Amino acid sequence: MKTFWEKIWLYFDYRFKISDLAQLTKKKKVPEHKYSFWYYFGGICLFLFIIQVITGILLLLYYTPSADSAFESIQYIMSQVKFGWLIRSVHSWSANLLIGAIFIHMFSTFFLRAYRPPRELTWVTGFFLLLIFLAFGFTGYLLPWNKLAFFATRVGTDIVGIVPIIGEKLKTFLLGGKVISNATLPRFFWIHVAVLPFITVLILGVHLLLVQTLGMSTPIGLSDREVKEIPFFPNFVLKDFLAWILILGLIGILCVFFPWEIGEKADPFASAPPGIKPEWYFTFMFTTLKIIPSKILFIEGEKLALFGFFIGGLFWLLIPFLDKKAQKEEKSKLFFIIGLLILIYIIVMTLVTYFFPKL
Amino acid sequence: MKRRRFIDFLLGGGIAGTIITFLYPVLKYIWPPKQSEVIVKSVVAGKINELAPNTYKIFKFGSSPGILINTKEGELKAFTAVCTHLSCTVTYDGDTETIFCPCHNGRFDLKGNVISGPPPRPLEAYNVEIVGEKILVSKRT
Ligand code: HEM
Ligand code: FES
């Protein structure tokens, strides 16, 4: 006699062919070596993204996306709604951890040369995920409609306006008009909760599909003796889970001891308060723009800096196609040094923002 | 032209045309509608005696903010409050008697000229007139 559960299994297996899939996961192996630690960060990104989706859906229940009532609705969530403070704090903290995890994941795959063939497109889709999540952060920051965010958005979108040819159009599109106004908030909301999630699902889907079909890469130059293999299921999955639970604990601690603040309601007809700056992950660009001289030779400093970031981003996107040595399974010193310099630049500029705000 | 190519061409053109007919209204829809922009030449920025010497206020000049300053000497001055750098709203710093933009530490003197920081152009100055009790601010022509 088959048990009740076996019958259910057979019913669905007959229709969905689950056992074929299960067979695949049984075969899947994950390399284990001295750099395996870095394999966890992609999974952590995924976990944090899931948290964002869940808490985001919960926040939607009480948040109202209009300039008149957005700030008040957040106040309401923080003070009246049971556990509202928790849901909102988790969404904000986890957003920041997610961006941090993406940076770690990206630089670790860079230094391990995981982008070399056949994983070029994994890198390319990953790069677009980075841009998407920066956009999530930028649009989400404005939603509470507080003073700091209002002016940070004003500055941020003005920078978009500097971009030659398309800049002004793009800025008008984002702001819903020539300047930031009551029309801006619903647009940012729309982008944050509808447009970006839709695009994310598509690109993340490709990213994860590639990871599944290609398996994990092994760093260049490790000998067979240094690389063991462990089964993906259950060994690697359990380790992944452990990492996720640790992260969840971290989020819990952060939310209880440092609940996310609301600030003061934005007033378009008030002076900008001191200490206007964007979220930390934009500060390296923010500080660059702040300290660059307004004219270098005959070019506006800002345009030059923006152009620099554009070229840098393009270079970063095309890394798998430019690093010819990695294509031949060799480590390139040059690319290592370039990556290191970029990393150091980002870290130094971010630290400068917080330790020398007067600069 | 071969018949086959001709049919491919028609079919391809038909599909492209269909996509464009769908896309066009969507693109037009997401483009922000024109906002009626209030073009003002002059506004009442405040009342006399409202501002103590060496203080300021931000007032509405149409859809953008302006700054009205009563200097130490008791002279009223008005400028646009939109920083020429990246559009933050400036404030008045009484200690140094300068106009200050906290976003990237831009500084202007009481004529609107840039003293330091990244702003590329001076602040546009407005005319200030006193009509009865009211302080009237208008665009210079
Ligand atoms: C929310 C954003 C992201 C999620 C959810 C995500 C998820 C994942 C997951 C689960 C893996 C497999 C485990 C691992 O290698 O750590 C992975 C691998 C990878 N990701 Fe991402 N990722 C994200 C963003 C990025 C970004 C921004 C980049 C780089 C520009 C990137 C590049 C890669 C590469 C090259 C691999 C292959 C690693 C290997 O085979 O060794 N990912 N990603
Ligand atoms: S916006 Fe005023 S100094 Fe940058």
Side-chain angles (χ1 to χ4, degrees), chain A residues 57-350:
Chain A
I57 289 175
L58 289 172
L59 286 171
L60 274 179
L61 186 55
Y62 295 107
Y63 175 77
T64 44
S66 91
D68 298 327
S69 55
F71 185 81
E72 284 77 7
S73 73
I74 301 269
Q75 272 180 327
Y76 181 73
I77 291 173
M78 292 298 276
S79 59
Q80 303 304 125
V81 179
K82 293 220 167 70
F83 290 109
W85 62 273
L86 182 66
I87 302 298
R88 170 164 182 258
S89 297
V90 171
H91 195 73
S92 306
W93 272 115
S94 151
N96 282 280
L97 293 178
L98 173 54
I99 304 255
I102 293 178
F103 271 106
I104 295 175
H105 176 53
M106 181 173 77
F107 276 103
S108 62
T109 54
F110 174 83
F111 286 117
L112 293 177
R113 314 293 201 283
Y115 53 77
R116 65 195 194 277
R119 295 182 181 75
E120 302 97 315
L121 298 184
T122 318
W123 173 268
V124 170
T125 48
F127 179 84
F128 284 111
L129 286 173
L130 171 70
L131 295 191
I132 289 171
F133 280 91
L134 290 178
F136 261 120
F138 187 69
T139 51
Y141 192 45
L142 182 72
L143 297 185
W145 200 246
N146 62 29
K147 266 190 185 160
L148 281 179
F150 180 86
F151 285 106
T153 306
R154 192 156 187 164
V155 170
T157 48
D158 249 48
I159 291 173
V160 175
I162 302 177
V163 176
I165 308 168
I166 54 160
E168 273 301 319
K169 285 254 182 260
L170 193 60
K171 183 178 149 192
T172 309
F173 172 70
L174 286 175
L175 292 180
K178 291 254 178 295
V179 291
I180 177 169
S181 69
N182 291 3
T184 308
L185 187 61
R187 264 177 191 261
F188 271 47
F189 176 72
W190 173 68
I191 296 173
H192 189 82
V193 309
V195 179
L196 291 175
F198 176 70
I199 303 175
T200 308
V201 168
L202 295 184
I203 299 190
L204 188 57
V206 176
H207 193 76
L208 294 179
L209 185 72
L210 286 169
V211 170
Q212 284 312 311
T213 39
L214 297 174
M216 303 299 295
S217 74
T218 339
I220 298 174
L222 286 187
S223 65
D224 288 346
R225 227 168 11 94
E226 289 170 292
V227 184
K228 284 186 293 179
E229 278 193 329
I230 59 170
F232 175 71
F233 190 85
N235 303 41
F236 190 76
V237 170
L238 284 179
K239 285 186 176 187
D240 246 353
F241 264 141
L242 186 64
W244 293 13
I245 286 171
L246 289 177
I247 293 283
L248 196 60
L250 176 65
I251 295 175
I253 292 171
L254 287 170
C255 291
V256 169
F257 289 102
F258 310 97
W260 209 258
E261 298 192 5
I262 318 183
E264 280 174 74
K265 185 172 177 170
D267 175 359
F269 293 98
S271 297
I276 290 291
K277 55 173 162 324
E279 297 247 76
W280 61 270
Y281 39 86
F282 290 119
T283 53
F284 74 95
M285 293 190 266
F286 168 81
T287 298
T288 307
L289 287 175
K290 198 158 111 180
I291 63 184
I292 196 165
S294 58
K295 275 252 182 315
I296 296 177
L297 297 176
F298 52 93
I299 315 167
E300 272 174 56
E302 247 124 51
K303 285 212 172 119
L304 197 69
L306 275 187
F307 185 68
F309 285 126
F310 177 74
I311 294 296
L314 200 63
F315 172 78
W316 200 240
L317 167 68
L318 297 177
I319 286 273
F321 312 100
L322 297 175
D323 186 354
K324 299 278 184 232
K325 279 210 164 153
Q327 293 169 8
K328 289 180 282 179
E329 294 289 306
E330 286 167 33
K331 282 189 199 168
S332 149
K333 255 234 164 66
L334 179 66
F335 277 82
F336 173 77
I337 291 170
I338 294 175
L340 197 63
L341 286 180
I342 293 178
L343 181 61
I344 290 174
Y345 183 81
I346 293 177
I347 292 176
V348 168
M349 278 306 190
T350 306

Side-chain angles (χ1 to χ4, degrees), chain A residues 154 158 187 269 271-272 302, chain B residues 30-31 60 85 87 89-90 102:
Chain A
R154 192 156 187 164
D158 249 48
R187 264 177 191 261
F269 293 98
S271 297
E302 247 124 51
Chain B
I30 62 176
W31 188 254
K60 257 186 169 173
H85 180 220
S87 309
T89 308
V90 297

Side-chain angles (χ1 to χ4, degrees), chain B residues 83 85-88 101 103-104 106 118-119:
Chain B
C83 180
H85 180 220
L86 295 172
S87 309
C88 264
C101 177
C103 288
H104 313 92

